[in-house]
Each structure stands twice: as structure tokens, then as C-alpha cells.
Amino acid sequence: QSALTQPASVSASPGQSITISCTGTSSDVGAYNYVSWYQQHPGKAPKLMIYDVTNRPSGVSNRFSGSKSGNTASLTISGLQADDEADYYCSSYIRSSTPVVFGGGTKLTVL
Amino acid sequence: QVQLVESGGGVVQPGGSLRLSCAASGFTFSSYGIHWVRQAPGKGLEWVAFIRYDGGNKYYADSVKGRFTISRDNSKNTVFLQMNSLRTDDSAVYYCAKDPAVVVITPPDYWGQGTLVTVSS
């Protein structure tokens, strides 16, 4: 299956907000509300930040929010902090013999 | 708390085999599916395989189908990934990760720390 499409990189200054897009198709992102977002710092395992498009796991800052419109899901981080600098990946269920697909990842740089 | 601990990684020659293990704790293991996801050095995440809570359904990425086999032992709270006919492009950190859903398959929630597999002559 094809990976979901994310921008390779985004950057912003501390305190600002950014949005990372994740574009799929009508077979994955557009069809189901099973979109998750992960944060990964270098050398670490991915950490779940958003699940089911909009939900935050317990312990995740409310500066992180998720949304979806059509075939595109988005992750918004407000009030950027230095520790937000990391790679971010989206993932979706797809009705297929290969039922989970990831985006290519977006490197967030906090200037 | 949920814990997933992978083991079994190492260096293997092309064409060789390796068996990864994922030991789980902190949740009712027999009620949840488990994913394997890999990440080649400097690359993104790639979904590899999934096994349903009871081992009844298994799914594989096209890139590993026919070479990798996922299995589980619910009596030992452990999932395995048998990797045969390994290729250099299988080199990656392999993560096991828990599916948060019971009935459907969804992207994972909790992840292990990963185990490194290097395929090289």
C-alpha cells in the first residue's frame, strides 16, 4: 500500500503554532476515523499523541490537537516548545490485506 | 503500566533467519492484537505485521509476505516474529506495539523500545 503523504519538514519559533498535514485516500484517511499521530525523538520509540483523529491519550498536553477534512488529517501544535522538536508520523487504518499505513514523517524544527 | 519488551535482534547474513520476541505486561494480553513495525536507519516507520488477540487472523506487509511469520503464545504473554530469507533491506529497528482496539484493527498505542536487526555479509 502507498504511504500517507506528509510534508518532509516544518519549522517555527517557540510560542507559535504549526499544523502538519497527512493526506491519504478515500480508502484510508477519508473512510475511517482511525487516524493516529506519533511523536518520535531521536533514538526513542514513537509515542502516541492523537488517536481516532481527535482524541488525546491521558498525559498528552492539550497543546496537541487533531482534525480531519476529507482525505486529509492534520496535527496542530500550539504554543511550541523546544521539546516539541521531533519527527511526527501519522497512521491510518485501511481496509486492505495490509490494514495499517504510516505517513513518511515530518521533521519539526523549533527555531 | 503497559510494557512491551522486544528481544532477539542481532547481526545476520543475507538469506539467514532470526526470531524476534515481544514480552508484554500491564494489560490483558489475550484481549489485544499486536503489531510489528520497523524503521530502517534514518527512515520512516513501516508497518510489518499484525496478529489478532487470539492468533486467528494474521496480516503482513507485501514486502515481508512469505518470508516473515507472526505468532503468539497467550500463556506466556509473548508475540514472535520469525524472519526467514532475510535481505539487506530488512535491516531496521523492529518495534512491537499494542493495538488499542478489541474488535477492529487500528494504529497502535503503546510501543516497545525496539530491537535492532542488521542484515549484512
Side-chain angles (χ1 to χ4, degrees):
Chain A
Q1 73 280 22
S2 299
L4 306 175
T5 300
Q6 299 180 232
S9 63
V10 297
S11 61
S13 299
Q16 292 186 322
S17 297
I18 62 96
T19 296
I20 300 172
S21 62
C22 170
T23 301
T25 69
S26 56
S27 297
D28 41 57
V29 174
Y32 306 97
N33 288 327
Y34 296 132
V35 177
S36 295
W37 288 91
Y38 304 93
Q39 176 191 66
Q40 186 180 37
H41 286 112
K44 300 295 187 181
K47 174 187 176 183
L48 180 67
M49 305 303 285
I50 296 288
Y51 67 97
D52 294 351
V53 178
T54 61
N55 296 315
R56 269 189 318 275
S58 173
V60 172
S61 170
N62 59 9
R63 297 185 299 107
F64 292 82
S65 63
S67 63
K68 188 181 85 168
S69 177
N71 296 337
T72 298
S74 298
L75 172 71
T76 297
I77 309 173
S78 60
L80 274 174
Q81 300 177 358
D83 189 51
D84 296 333
E85 184 164 293
D87 293 325
Y88 290 84
Y89 295 90
C90 63
S91 181
S92 174
Y93 167 78
I94 174 171
R95 188 175 177 87
S96 160
S97 60
T98 54
V100 172
V101 62
F102 284 93
T106 298
K107 181 176 181 59
L108 169 61
T109 300
V110 180
L111 302 170
Chain B
Q1 72 283 19
V2 173
Q3 273 200 310
L4 298 160
V5 179
E6 303 92 338
S7 60
V11 180
V12 61
Q13 291 188 337
S17 298
L18 215 52
R19 189 194 198 204
L20 306 183
S21 298
C22 170
S25 61
F27 63 100
T28 305
F29 180 75
S30 59
S31 295
Y32 294 92
I34 298 292
H35 301 265
W36 284 98
V37 179
R38 68 185 180 183
Q39 186 170 35
K43 303 296 185 182
L45 301 172
E46 179 189 13
W47 179 83
V48 172
F50 172 84
I51 186 166
R52 204 175 69 172
Y53 64 94
D54 61 356
N57 286 80
K58 304 172 186 180
Y59 302 86
Y60 300 94
D62 291 341
S63 57
V64 307
K65 204 170 292 183
R67 301 187 298 123
F68 289 13
T69 301
I70 190 171
S71 62
R72 67 190 294 159
D73 184 342
N74 284 350
S75 69
K76 296 182 179 178
N77 284 11
T78 303
V79 170
F80 305 98
L81 187 68
Q82 178 66 45
M83 305 186 296
N84 298 330
S85 303
L86 282 162
R87 311 185 302 219
T88 55
D89 62 355
D90 292 318
S91 295
V93 173
Y94 283 74
Y95 297 99
C96 67
K98 171 186 162 293
D99 193 304
V102 176
V103 176
V104 297
I105 301 172
T106 64
D109 52 3
Y110 291 94
W111 297 61
Q113 85 289 350
T115 187
L116 178 62
V117 172
T118 302
V119 184
S120 173
S121 54

